[in-house]
């Protein structure tokens, strides 16, 4: 003790008196601090290693698209095998799926302090799985940076088997810039000597090369696996699961000695779907309009969104076959995903045809700017140099903009509508432009070309419906209904992001789908009327009320850091109790959800 | 049966650092608590669950153990107890699988009577568990006479009480038919009804059986009429592919069933057939010439038929299949191919050398078969030899540097080399058909997958390659299964410099022209036209002289083929 005392007194003097510190004091202080830091890291890593070694089977999953769906399928598969499991999956909300031996799967929310994910979370969940003594630990890799992914996979998890759903170009700002760079980044998930199952096709050579380099084995679902996933098999799932995700898990099931039929049936029966899955909700009648909503919010990159659009057959709804269908895209934009906004603005102008699109979420003005830019680029690129080319452009854009391209389609589409309606107006202008070009033998004059360009641009601009930031789902529903032409069936497809209004909108549809269509009309009408929608975006509150609201919000944000820490401690103790078996998974899930709800107010 | 010998317990036991043999032999306490697990006290009491877990592990242990004798009476009683009392489908499945394995290996032991009475009771129960019925049927295949078995099969196929899951049960019968000949026999007696089941899933599974046995005439006639479901068609065609390579004794009637309805096949089915054909062909090349001459003309006919379809993706796949067919039919060529393949395989770096004397015009096409689903190859000419190396090089490129400089953005990845692009080292390029982007990214000029083209059109030179060749190669050849694209650079230095400047300035715009689709406002010929305008000489020569002029390629190289008609 005597040797420690002088150092202790020196430290006390150093802390108490800023001018009294010598370089030696600083050295001691730095060494101590560094030592503590190093000790904590070594301890945590060692603990992680012990935890990993205590779990018999660890299966990880990564990829650009379909990670969460695949993890949930895997959880359902192992649950059907009677194995206890803990699965960490994110999807729309971070969730732990716990399945005891021969018991049903239970969802427990995964708490993230300040809603920020860190890779330390992986060790915490691994520790929880080890404490709960599960047979199987399933985890979805949420890292994007290849360095972090390698740390998680090669140092911490060392998967027995891993799945890579695909390597579609996404998150190019971190994994890109090109498609091949994204695939290279994702290939960092391959651990030496591991077993990899993938459904990737176009970048398969790259994954294959990496596996050979690391001595890992690479497997793809067989043709037979893929053929067997027919419509009736897909129909057994409570949502539209992607056949390739199912095929990946089927390949895993084969490795586990489970037959295809058993795996398919039991997965479909036991799966706990994520709120963001691709799903077509039952049609709902509202204010005399029939609406059908399909949730594609989770497909937040171009290829995924396009593939959803095609899978749902929305690309097949051409006017001559379906004149009374109104196609609506619902875009939920996010301010922290600028690249994504740009990609979706291009997608809306170049790749999909629709009648109208609603823009909600944050940074809508930014998205609108991207959309206008994209429209301008597209219109600038059209070739109007010859008569034939001008005709091709007009016919092609009539299809893209869903303008009736002949009188018969026009009359079928506008049947029962008032004489002056937007569809007829567009058709008349388009027809006059087409006739003018048809009746001449020469190339369009510059004036005509400008008129065509202006018309096309206006048509694209008219499709955009910009809604205020604080739009509620009920207000959105009412707006969509009022904009749908009378007697049309409106197919609404949600895309880009689910957070915020997206989740609330889905909850509304979940509620609608539980009720009888006849009743929905009245119930929802009442609810909307009682909520007094504010579609103009202007705040109609009186000044005193507004300042009180502001004060309350300020106070809440001031208290938030402290309450967040307090709640985090409480949630941690719930996890501890669950792992030690003091409380059941159901109770743990319920308690955490209650705390999270109280935190979000 | 549904549970194979190797299963999850392998992983679990290994993960625990234990041996499967450490699992207790017969967990008596587990058997005792088994009925309680079914009486609804599971939630309150953890003991029954623990019992189920122990039984599960024990069953797994028995399943993967290599047994040299039948079960003891105690073991059998435990298994029977599981069958009678457990509500867990996986336990029942495993127990039934065990019974089947033992009966099959050691004949009918003394306790077969108990098992038989169990199966008879179960088959008489109208609403038994789906997996239980399936497993019981398999055991009945060993214990019951043909007539009874046929009756069971018919009863199970007709069972309507499984509602939406009935198709899984029927598929299970087919699965059993693969392992148990008596069930296959019983099914054949009922006239292959499952080949024409209402469920596409069952029809697909039934088709899988075709490779094992030839089928009756009546069934063939019905097959010839075709099935509208694309996945069923695909399976039928894939079976054709497997049979082509593995079953020289296939009945002529079945063969004609495969070939006859070709005009009704959906493009998706044809695409899946070609993919399987190409996979099977590569495997067949490994195993030696199993492909019989008798199939040659029919196969060529079907491939030509597909190549003539109005689908770009199918044409590309069919071109590869045709090369592979030629290879399979020509022993000399096949030997050359296998030698080339083993040379490339044996090289650790993927590089290999071939003497110029050995080189001939066939070799690039043979390599195009190997390149199809790999990184591709490039061939460099050196003194008296050719160096073959994987085509996967990236390096500094001025156009990229300038492009990134003029397109600054905060959303670009940090710490990445934004000035690199694809590098071409050799004068012969044999590109992969894969390795492309599914959607356009911020990097221009990368190969882009185009749905309507079924790929990235490797026969069209990448702008990157054309840029690279300006000051390096005089001529480059690009070989694909369709043919050879020959590119000559601008002849004068001034012309090359001008092209260099133009490509630096317009790289993104020009590379976009390469990705022409029917939605584009440009013409397919515009890409080559502009390059020719810069002084490049680009020509395409089809590989097959007898092939009909392929407009899906020609339109990119000739102006008149690119004219689009105005349709209203």
């Amino acid at each position: 003790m005597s040797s420690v005392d002088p150092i202790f007194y020196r430290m006390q003097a150093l802390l108490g008196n800023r001018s009294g510190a010598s370089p030696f004091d600083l050295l001691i202080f730095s060494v101590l601090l560094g030592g503590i830091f190093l000790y904590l890291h070594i301890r945590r890593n060692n603990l992680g290693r012990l935890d990993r070694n205590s779990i018999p089977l660890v299966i990880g999953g990564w990829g650009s698209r379909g990670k969460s769906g695949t993890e949930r399928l895997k959880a359902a598969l192992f649950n059907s095998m009677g194995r206890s499991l803990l699965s960490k999956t994110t999807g729309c909300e971070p969730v732990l799926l716990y399945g005891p031996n021969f018991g049903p799967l239970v969802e427990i929310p995964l708490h993230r302090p300040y809603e920020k994910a860190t890779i330390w979370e992986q060790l915490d969940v691994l520790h929880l799985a080890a404490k709960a003594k599960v047979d199987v630990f399933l985890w979805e890799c949420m890292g994007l940076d290849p360095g972090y992914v390698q740390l998680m996979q090669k140092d911490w998890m060392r998967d027995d088997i891993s799945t890579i759903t695909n390597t579609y170009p996404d998150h190019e700002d971190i994994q890109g810039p090109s498609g091949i760079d994204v695939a290279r980044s994702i290939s960092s998930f391959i651990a030496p000597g591991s077993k990899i199952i993938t459904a990737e096709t176009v970048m398969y050579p790259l994954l294959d090369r990496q596996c050979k380099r690391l001595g890992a084995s690479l497997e793809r679902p067989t043709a037979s696996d893929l053929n067997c996933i027919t419509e009736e098999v897909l129909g057994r799932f409570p949502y539209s699961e992607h056949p390739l995700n199912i095929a990946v898990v089927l390949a895993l099931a084969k490795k586990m000695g489970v037959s295809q039929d058993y795996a398919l049936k039991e997965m479909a029966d036991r799966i706990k779907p994520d709120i963001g899955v691709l799903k077509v909700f039952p049609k709902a009648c509202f204010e005399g309009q029939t609406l059908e909503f399909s949730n594609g919010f989770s497909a937040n990159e171009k290829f995924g969104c396009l593939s959803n659009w095609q899978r749902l057959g929305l690309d097949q709804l051409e006017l001559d076959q379906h004149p009374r269908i109104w196609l609506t895209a619902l875009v939920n934009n996010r301010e922290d995903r600028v690249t994504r906004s740009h990609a979706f603005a291009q997608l809306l102008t170049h790749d999909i045809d629709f009648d109208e699109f609603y823009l909600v979420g944050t940074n809508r003005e930014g998205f609108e700017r991207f959309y206008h830019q994209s429209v301008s680029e597209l219109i600038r690129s059209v070739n109007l140099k010859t008569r034939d080319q001008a005709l091709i452009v007009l016919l092609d854009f009539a299809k893209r903009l869903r303008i009736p391209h002949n009188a018969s389609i026009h009359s079928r589409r506008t049947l029962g509508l008032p004489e002056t309606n937007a569809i007829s107006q567009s058709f008349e202008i388009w027809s006059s432009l087409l006739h003018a070009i048809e009746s001449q033998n020469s190339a369009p004059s510059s004036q005509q070309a400008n008129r065509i360009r202006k018309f096309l641009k206006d048509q694209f601009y008219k499709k955009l419906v910009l809604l205020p930031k604080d739009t509620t789902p009920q207000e959105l529903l009412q707006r969509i209904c009022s904009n749908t032409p009378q007697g049309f069936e409106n197919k609404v497809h949600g895309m880009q992001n689910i957070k915020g209004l997206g989740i609330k909108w889905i909850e509304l549809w979940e509620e609608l789908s539980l009720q009888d269509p006849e009743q929905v009309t009245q119930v929802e009408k009442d609810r909307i009327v009682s909520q007094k929608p504010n579609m103009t975006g202007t705040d109609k509150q009186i000044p005193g009320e507004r300042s009180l609201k502001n004060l309350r919000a300020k106070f809440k944000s001031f208290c938030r850091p402290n309450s967040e820490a307090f709640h985090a401690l409480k949630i941690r103790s719930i996890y501890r109790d669950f792992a030690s078996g003091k409380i059941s998974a159901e109770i743990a899930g319920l308690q955490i959800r209650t705390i999270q709800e109280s935190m979000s107010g | 049966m549904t549970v194979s010998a190797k299963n999850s317990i392998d992983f679990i036991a290994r993960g625990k650092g234990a041996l499967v043999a450490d699992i207790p032999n017969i967990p008596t306490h587990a058997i005792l608590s088994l009925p309680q697990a079914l009486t609804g006290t599971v939630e309150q009491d953890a003991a029954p669950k623990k019992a189920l877990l122990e039984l599960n592990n024990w069953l797994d242990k028995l399943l993967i153990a290599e047994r040299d004798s039948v079960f003891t009476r105690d073991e059998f009683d435990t298994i029977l107890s599981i069958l009678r009392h457990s509500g867990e489908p996986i336990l029942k499945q495993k127990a039934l699988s065990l019974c089947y394995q033992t009966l099959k290996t050691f004949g009918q032991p003394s306790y077969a009577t108990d098992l038989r009475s169990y199966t008879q009771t179960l088959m008489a129960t109208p609403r038994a568990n789906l997996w239980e019925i399936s497993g019981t049927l398999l055991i009945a295949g060993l214990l019951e006479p043909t007539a009874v078995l046929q009756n069971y099969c018919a009863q199970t196929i007709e069972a309507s009480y499984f509602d939406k899951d009935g198709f899984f049960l029927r598929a299970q019968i087919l699965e059993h038919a693969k392992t148990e000949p008596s069930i296959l026999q019983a099914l054949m007696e009922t006239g292959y009804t499952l080949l024409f089941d209402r469920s596409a899933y069952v029809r697909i599974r039934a088709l899988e059986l075709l490779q094992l046995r030839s089928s009756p005439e009546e069934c063939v006639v019905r097959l010839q009429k075709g099935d509208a479901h694309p996945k069923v068609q695909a399976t039928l065609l894939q079976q054709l592919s497997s049979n082509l390579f593995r079953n020289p004794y296939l009945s002529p009637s079945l063969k004609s069933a495969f070939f006859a309805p070709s005009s009704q096949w959906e493009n998706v089915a044809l695409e899946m057939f070609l993919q399987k054909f190409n996979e099977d062909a590569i495997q067949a090349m490994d195993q030696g010439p199993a492909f019989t001459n008798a199939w040659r003309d029919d196969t060529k006919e079907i491939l030509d038929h597909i190549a003539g379809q109005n689908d770009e993706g199918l044409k590309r796949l069919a071109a590869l299949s045709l090369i592979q067919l030629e290879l399979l039919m020509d022993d000399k060529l096949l030997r050359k191919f296998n030698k080339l393949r083993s040379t490339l395989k044996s090289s650790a770096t993927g590089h290999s050398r071939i003497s110029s004397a050995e080189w001939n015009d066939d070799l690039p096409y043979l390599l195009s078969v190997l390149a199809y689903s790999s990184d591709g190859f490039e061939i460099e000419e050196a003194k008296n030899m050719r160096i073959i190396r994987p085509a996967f090089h990236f390096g500094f490129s001025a156009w990229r540097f300038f492009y990134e400089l003029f397109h600054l953005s905060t959303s670009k990845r940090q710490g990445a080399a934004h000035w690199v692009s694809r590098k071409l080292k050799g004068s012969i390029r044999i590109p992969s058909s894969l390795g492309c982007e599914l959607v356009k990214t911020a990097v221009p000029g990368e190969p882009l997958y185009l749905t309507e083209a079924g790929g990235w059109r490797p026969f069209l030179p990448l702008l990157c390659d054309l840029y690279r060749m300006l000051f390096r190669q005089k001529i480059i050849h690009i070989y694909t299964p369709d043919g050879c694209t020959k590119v000559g650079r601008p002849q004068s230095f001034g012309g090359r410099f001008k092209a260099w400047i133009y490509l630096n300035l317009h790289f993104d715009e020009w590379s976009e022209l390469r990705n022409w689709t029917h939605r584009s406002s440009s013409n397919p010929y515009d890409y080559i036209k502009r390059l020719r305008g810069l002084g490049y000489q680009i020509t395409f020569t089809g590989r097959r002289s007898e092939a009909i002029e392929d407009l899906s390629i020609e339109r990119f190289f000739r102006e008149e083929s690119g004219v689009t008609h105005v349709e209203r």
Side-chain angles (χ1 to χ4, degrees), chain A residues 169-181:
Chain A
D170 193 14
H171 295 293
E172 290 105 300
D173 52 339
I174 301 168
Q175 302 180 326
S178 67
I180 205 149
D181 294 318

Side-chain angles (χ1 to χ4, degrees), chain A residues 83 168 173-176 179 202 209 224 227-229 231-232 236 256 261 266 353 381 400 405, chain B residues 7 57 60 131 165 172 199-201 205 208 229 231 238 272 375 411 413 435 437-438 519 521 568:
Chain A
R83 299 284 166 206
Y168 298 155
D173 52 339
I174 301 168
Q175 302 180 326
V202 290
R209 185 160 19 92
S224 159
N227 283 354
C228 279
I229 303 164
E231 294 81 2
E232 59 217 309
R236 282 287 281 105
M256 294 291 140
D261 300 318
E266 296 298 323
D353 309 330
S381 74
R400 286 190 184 193
H405 57 272
Chain B
N7 58 26
N57 289 343
D60 276 333
W131 306 116
D165 289 330
Q172 278 283 290
S199 153
Y201 182 78
R205 301 297 294 277
E208 287 172 5
H229 198 283
K231 285 194 167 176
Q238 283 167 351
M272 288 164 101
D375 288 322
S411 63
R413 180 179 175 181
E437 296 179 342
L438 278 173
R519 283 179 82 107
S521 50
R568 196 175 172 189

Side-chain angles (χ1 to χ4, degrees), chain A residues 280-351:
Chain A
V280 182
F281 287 86
K283 284 177 191 167
C285 294
F286 186 81
E287 292 188 345
Q289 310 286 23
T290 309
L291 302 188
E292 185 188 80
F293 172 64
S294 50
N295 174 21
F297 282 126
S298 290
N300 39 34
E301 40 71 43
K302 189 179 163 185
F303 189 79
C305 181
L306 267 177
S307 112
N308 282 352
W309 191 263
Q310 285 158 4
R311 275 173 68 197
L312 297 172
L314 299 177
D315 59 330
Q316 305 292 323
L317 299 173
E318 295 192 357
L319 288 189
D320 42 357
Q321 298 292 323
H322 307 273
R324 306 291 281 181
I325 296 273
W326 192 253
L327 264 179
T328 302
L330 174 58
V331 181
N332 186 21
N333 195 49
R334 255 176 85 171
E335 60 192 348
D336 54 344
R337 297 285 187 275
V338 179
T339 326
R340 196 178 286 175
S341 303
H342 195 215
F344 271 78
Q346 282 207 324
L347 175 122
L348 290 168
T349 48
H350 288 71
D351 301 292

